[in-house]
Every structure is written in C-alpha cells, then in structure tokens.
C-alpha cells in the first residue's frame, strides 16, 4: 500500500453542461466529470502529489467512466470499487446563457 499525500472523500458528479439550442430549439448537453472532491484529488495528482479518493460509485457506465478517469489521472481507487445499490450523482448546468 502506497503512502498518500492527499486523500479526498466525497461524491463525484457526472455533469451535463447545456450547450446553446440547436437550429430546432432542442437542448443539447456535453457530458463531463465533476464534483469538488474528485476535482481536488485530480488537481493534487496533476501537481505531483500522491492522491487518493474515497467514494461509493455505481456499477454502471458513469461509475466505470470515473474509474477510468481516476486511473488516467494518476489518482485512484486502489482499494474497493463500484458498489452494489449505489447510484452516481448527476448534475445539469445551463451556464451557456448570458450572465450565468
């Protein structure tokens, strides 16, 4: 087991950021990863710290995408993994609007 400089505990969020409507007025969304504690662990790892993250995530596509993200960013879930009965957090944003 490696020693960590930073250990974050929290809930990652799968974000859907609203884009300007298309020519038919339909709302379009860009999927991304977020959550303040997940972002903090990734930022620490990018800055050279040995970072870890503790959370419960679902056994679904969003959960797998977070595991892949953390592995790619050098942080990680060395222990544990997706949990039965857990739902991933989702967040919808419409910040494209003027003044948002």
């Amino acid at each position: 087991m490696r020693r960590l400089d930073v250990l974050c505990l929290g809930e990652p969020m799968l974000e859907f950021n609203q884009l300007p409507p298309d020519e038919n007025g339909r709302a379009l969304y860009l999927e991304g990863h977020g959550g303040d504690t997940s972002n903090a662990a990734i930022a620490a790892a990018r800055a050279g710290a040995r970072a870890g993250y503790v959370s419960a995530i679902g056994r679904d596509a969003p959960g797998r995408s977070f595991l892949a993200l953390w592995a790619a960013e050098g942080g990680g879930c060395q222990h544990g993994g997706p949990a039965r009965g857990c739902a991933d957090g989702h967040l919808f944003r419409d910040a494209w609007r003027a003044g948002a």
Side-chain angles (χ1 to χ4, degrees):
M1 179 181 208
R2 69 182 183 144
R3 185 174 178 182
L4 298 175
D5 299 312
V6 175
L7 180 62
C8 296
L9 168 68
E11 176 186 25
M13 300 294 286
L14 187 64
E15 295 183 349
F16 294 92
N17 296 289
Q18 189 173 8
L19 302 171
D22 70 6
E23 62 276 357
N24 297 316
R26 292 180 299 180
L28 303 174
Y29 293 88
L30 179 63
E31 181 181 316
H33 295 95
D36 55 355
T37 54
S38 177
N39 291 345
I42 290 170
R46 287 180 180 176
R50 293 174 305 238
Y53 191 66
V54 177
S55 186
I57 58 173
R59 292 181 174 188
D60 53 10
R64 289 188 298 275
S65 73
F66 274 107
L67 289 174
L69 170 70
W70 296 326
E73 291 290 351
C77 288
Q78 292 84 18
H79 306 285
R84 221 171 266 189
C86 286
D88 299 302
H90 296 78
L91 175 67
F92 287 83
R93 296 180 186 262
D94 66 353
W96 68 269
R97 296 174 195 254

